[in-house]
Amino acid sequence: VVFESDCREGVCGACGFLVNGVPHGPVDNTPACRQHLRAFPKATRLRLEPWRAAAFPVIRDLVVDRTALDELIRAGGTVDVAAGTAPDADDVAQPRQQAERALDFAACIGCGACVAACPNGAAMLFAGAKLAHLSLMPTGRHERARRARGMARTLDEFFGPCSVYGECVPACPAGIPIEVIARLNREVLRAGWLGRGRDD
Ligand code: SF4
Ligand code: FES
């Protein structure tokens, strides 16, 4: 059976498939590589399937093509100024609480379980985690509106709409909260109000 894995410690997002119909497996907020057979004390047979999502075509067995998530990241971009060498960590001041919050959202490992769990095949939890994280960072501020527009366009292109079912939240191994979807909508609205000519 062909499957993907890399870190096997829950930080890379490479693994992921359905175990008895549940993204990653029966233990909430835990990636496939961190699930244990002891979670199935009575099972003699497990049903393993690749992610079920139109945005993720099956390559082989349990391996799917998650390029659509890469397209979302590409649309969001990061910082497009010539920044030179990496600055010292304490050069760019940021309130501690805000930095901690940004780190919570940066925990997304890009596994795609949220898309597979969603009956609409939406990627709002993934995109929301990225937008929430980047909008809190002091760097890349002037791309903020452009980033929101680009990611919203790419969401429409590859993924289904969000009906706030919330199936994505227990499937997420990074524990990304559903509030990121509200943050995403706020970022997109803000970008709309600013208008196409402005990026700040
Ligand atoms: S939001 Fe959670 S489930 Fe979705 S890609 Fe990121 S880590 Fe995976
Ligand atoms: S193999 Fe890296 S998260 Fe599972």
Side-chain angles (χ1 to χ4, degrees):
V1 176
V2 179
F3 61 95
E4 247 189 296
S5 78
D6 187 3
C7 67
R8 300 194 181 201
E9 55 184 30
V11 293
C12 77
C15 65
F17 45 80
L18 301 174
V19 183
N20 290 349
V22 180
H24 283 307
V27 182
D28 282 356
N29 303 122
T30 306
C33 63
R34 304 289 301 153
Q35 305 268 347
H36 298 107
L37 281 174
R38 61 175 177 262
F40 307 90
K42 298 214 171 80
T44 52
R45 194 177 272 221
L46 301 181
R47 187 180 173 88
L48 309 181
E49 298 167 82
W51 286 157
R52 293 184 200 135
F56 299 151
V58 175
I59 296 174
R60 190 170 159 191
D61 295 347
L62 302 175
V63 180
V64 298
D65 180 354
R66 290 175 298 142
T67 303
L69 292 185
D70 297 336
E71 289 300 328
L72 262 175
I73 295 291
R74 231 188 308 273
T78 49
V79 183
D80 58 14
V81 292
T85 53
D88 287 339
D90 56 1
D91 267 3
V92 186
Q94 188 182 16
R96 168 76 192 266
Q97 223 176 1
Q98 190 172 322
E100 293 287 347
R101 203 73 191 112
L103 264 181
D104 290 344
F105 298 136
C108 167
I109 55 175
C111 63
C114 45
V115 180
C118 177
N120 295 343
M124 297 288 274
L125 202 71
F126 171 82
K130 303 301 173 200
L131 276 179
H133 161 210
L134 295 171
S135 67
L136 288 170
M137 301 296 288
T139 43
R141 279 257 157 87
H142 67 277
E143 291 100 348
R144 189 171 163 185
R146 193 175 352 139
R147 176 183 304 128
R149 279 188 215 108
M151 290 186 91
R153 251 194 323 271
T154 312
L155 277 172
D156 284 346
E157 189 180 342
F158 291 98
F159 300 94
C162 176
S163 307
V164 205
Y165 286 118
E167 301 283 340
C168 48
V169 173
C172 174
I176 299 295
I178 202 155
E179 71 163 272
V180 299
I181 295 178
R183 283 178 176 265
L184 182 151
N185 288 331
R186 202 182 316 148
E187 285 296 306
V188 174
L189 267 176
R190 178 185 172 279
W193 278 327
L194 280 178
R196 291 206 169 267
R198 289 193 48 199
D199 275 326
D200 48 17

